[in-house]
Amino acid sequence: WVVSATYRPGIDGSPEPLQDNGRWALEALARALVSAMPGWGSGTGNRNGGTKMDRDRLDDNVKKALQRLRRGLNVQWALVAGFAASLVCLELKLGRYQDEMGGDCDSYYHYHPYYLQPQQQRLQHRQSTHPQPTKQPQPQPQPPSFTLTTTTLPPTQPTPYRRPRTLAGLALRSLLTLSSARLIRTLSFTLTVLPSQIPRCYPRRFPHPPPTDWPAWLKIGFLPNSRGGCNDLILSGHATVTSTLACALTSVAGNGTLSRAVWTLVAVDYAIEALEGLHYSVDMWLGCVVTCLLWVLTR
């Protein structure tokens, strides 16, 4: 509200949005995919091809198809469900484990007490429980005599302690990542205000004209608004939340196939968000990249 109410070009009119090359590329790809499907118009995937009626009908079909796809995928609630399942798996000790440096371990056996022993003790234990058959020595040629100076090496250090990941640890890491990303987002759109891609966004979402007295002006900022603001664009708040959930889910699962599937769905959701004009493509890109880097830093 503060950024939208202080951006005078958005209040007085509908400023021209910035050039979004990413959105143009996504629109061309969407037209090509939709026009190739049967029953989706005349098949003119190029903006310059066909009549104006054909192009308008194809654009309407693209928007409707994308809206149906996004509602069908429902990526946001799928990530929330996956995050909740991750917490349950950690509480039941079904997830991956983490060493003292924050790195993921492959299995429970990495922190089993047997593996916490020094390597020499483990070798002695293995030899005592599984003796090897004695082999007859073979005669070997005598090497030439020489003097070798040896250096005594320090004793083998024990394996570092490795602890299992916990529900509280995952929740704390997720909160730190999300709060840091939201702080960076607030500073970013406060420093530089971008024009909204939605025509006449301010009159549709906020009182027009804005109130002149300070108490009423500040009160509007505390009113719930499910449609969001107009100029709080970079970074995308939607991208920070979904990227945090995706990072938490994939880190607990530790499965390459599941990770690729999750991030593919996230990328499709971001592409549709940019195609619908709710965000610039750079908002989604930076929101995802910054959040993933923060997830690594909070390890």
Side-chain angles (χ1 to χ4, degrees):
W1 156 249
V2 173
V3 176
S4 301
T6 54
Y7 184 59
R8 183 56 58 180
I11 298 176
D12 298 336
S14 183
E16 185 72 18
L18 301 179
Q19 177 177 321
D20 192 349
N21 296 332
R23 184 181 179 185
W24 288 357
L26 292 172
E27 286 178 349
L29 177 61
R31 289 193 189 92
L33 293 177
V34 173
S35 61
M37 300 178 185
W40 287 99
S42 59
T44 56
N46 193 335
R47 179 184 288 270
N48 299 324
T51 64
K52 184 178 185 302
M53 183 179 297
D54 291 335
R55 293 195 301 270
D56 293 341
R57 182 173 59 179
L58 186 60
D59 290 342
D60 292 339
N61 289 335
V62 170
K63 294 178 182 179
K64 293 178 182 178
L66 292 176
Q67 291 174 357
R68 287 197 298 268
L69 177 62
R70 191 173 192 184
R71 285 196 297 265
L73 293 176
N74 202 357
V75 178
Q76 295 89 344
W77 286 107
L79 290 174
V80 171
F83 180 73
S86 302
L87 297 179
V88 173
C89 290
L90 289 180
E91 186 67 18
L92 299 178
K93 304 186 186 318
L94 300 177
R96 292 169 66 85
Y97 291 83
Q98 192 176 49
D99 60 19
E100 63 180 0
M101 298 302 295
D104 292 333
C105 305
D106 292 332
S107 64
Y108 165 82
Y109 299 102
H110 279 78
Y111 92 115
H112 191 276
Y114 169 76
Y115 290 90
L116 299 180
Q117 301 176 0
Q119 184 177 3
Q120 186 176 3
Q121 294 184 11
R122 285 186 286 168
L123 181 60
Q124 295 175 356
H125 179 269
R126 190 181 304 112
Q127 292 176 350
S128 62
T129 55
H130 302 283
Q132 299 293 330
T134 305
K135 296 183 179 180
Q136 297 296 332
Q138 299 294 331
Q140 299 290 338
Q142 295 294 330
S145 61
F146 59 90
T147 303
L148 178 64
T149 303
T150 59
T151 304
T152 305
L153 298 177
T156 305
Q157 297 296 328
T159 304
Y161 173 70
R162 302 177 185 271
R163 64 183 183 277
R165 302 183 66 179
T166 61
L167 183 151
L170 179 66
L172 178 60
R173 185 177 180 184
S174 302
L175 288 176
L176 286 175
T177 301
L178 183 59
S179 59
S180 302
R182 303 293 288 192
L183 176 61
I184 295 175
R185 158 181 155 80
T186 303
L187 294 176
S188 298
F189 69 71
T190 303
L191 292 174
T192 303
V193 181
L194 302 181
S196 177
Q197 291 180 304
I198 303 175
R200 299 189 58 80
C201 177
Y202 182 88
R204 295 180 179 181
R205 300 185 177 183
F206 299 109
H208 186 267
T212 55
D213 55 318
W214 280 101
W217 193 90
L218 293 175
K219 182 179 179 180
I220 297 176
F222 293 96
L223 297 177
N225 190 351
S226 60
R227 294 182 296 177
C230 293
N231 304 100
D232 53 333
L233 298 174
I234 186 170
L235 312 168
S236 169
H238 172 78
T240 57
V241 175
T242 52
S243 295
T244 302
L245 294 175
C247 288
L249 171 59
T250 54
S251 67
V252 173
N255 184 279
T257 303
L258 177 62
S259 299
R260 286 188 290 270
V262 169
W263 286 109
T264 300
L265 290 177
V266 171
V268 171
D269 183 65
Y270 291 173
I272 296 176
E273 183 91 0
L275 277 170
E276 291 181 344
L278 302 177
H279 269 285
Y280 291 100
S281 56
V282 68
D283 304 338
M284 312 306 296
W285 164 254
L286 289 180
C288 179
V289 171
V290 170
T291 304
C292 292
L293 291 177
L294 289 172
W295 179 264
V296 176
L297 290 176
T298 54
R299 173 175 290 178

